[in-house]
Amino acid sequence: MKRAIIAAGFAIALAGTSQAATCAKPDFAASALPELARLINEFRAKNGVNKLALAPSLMAAAQGHACSLVKTNQFTHNGNGGPKSRMKRAGCRAKKTGENIAMGFSSPAKTMSLWLDSPPHRRILLMRGMSVMGLGVADALPGQGGGPRWVLDVAAGC
């Protein structure tokens, strides 16, 4: 039942990403993003931090940035004015935000493992006062290499 509720909430959150979904998503995206959300919330709960709800505006910002990483063939938080600017343009005007990115991993578990093994990424995962998140993943272009680009955006409300 819990998985069905998570999947339903994820489907609703994805509805807000249609404007940002301007690139190819991996075939596994439909199942991978809800799984990544579950892993993030499970990790936060185990560490005494509140779970995060999916926010349509942050889903749009995260997917838009994942697409931008592919289109520009760059791997940076700074594109399009930086995370807070992208989140604001997507409709989330939170004062406190954070962002994790990853490249090349074919599963949520591998992406999460990278973030957990990196102190700066781990800090984003455990930020207190956050209440919402958005996730995005985009396929690399043919011949581009590097594998999928993953984005996690978090905010203290939108």
Side-chain angles (χ1 to χ4, degrees):
M1 182 66 172
K2 260 187 174 177
R3 284 183 186 240
I5 292 169
I6 290 170
F10 191 77
I12 291 167
L14 274 179
T17 66
S18 61
Q19 291 179 348
T22 58
C23 63
K25 293 180 189 174
D27 292 338
F28 59 77
S31 61
L33 293 179
E35 175 64 9
L36 185 55
R38 186 191 67 75
L39 291 170
I40 290 166
N41 277 330
E42 184 177 272
F43 175 71
R44 287 176 63 87
K46 283 181 183 175
N47 285 276
V49 184
N50 65 295
K51 293 182 178 183
L52 302 172
L54 293 167
S57 58
L58 290 184
M59 294 296 289
Q63 187 61 45
H65 190 50
C67 290
S68 179
L69 293 174
V70 168
K71 288 178 182 179
T72 62
N73 199 23
Q74 294 182 349
F75 191 65
T76 178
H77 292 282
N78 298 325
N80 296 314
K84 190 171 285 212
S85 223
R86 290 190 305 271
M87 291 180 216
K88 185 176 180 181
R89 279 194 308 276
C92 183
R93 289 166 173 71
K95 290 184 180 181
K96 187 176 178 184
T97 63
E99 180 175 79
N100 280 350
I101 58 176
M103 179 171 65
F105 299 98
S106 60
S107 75
K110 289 178 182 178
T111 301
M112 188 69 173
S113 181
L114 164 83
W115 289 341
L116 292 176
D117 289 342
S118 163
H121 292 98
R122 188 181 185 93
R123 277 193 293 277
I124 297 292
L125 290 169
L126 291 174
M127 284 177 77
R128 295 191 180 276
M130 299 303 192
S131 59
V132 292
M133 71 172 149
L135 299 163
V137 63
D139 258 341
L141 297 172
Q144 189 175 46
R149 277 54 167 188
W150 299 81
V151 178
L152 162 68
D153 285 333
V154 296
C158 285

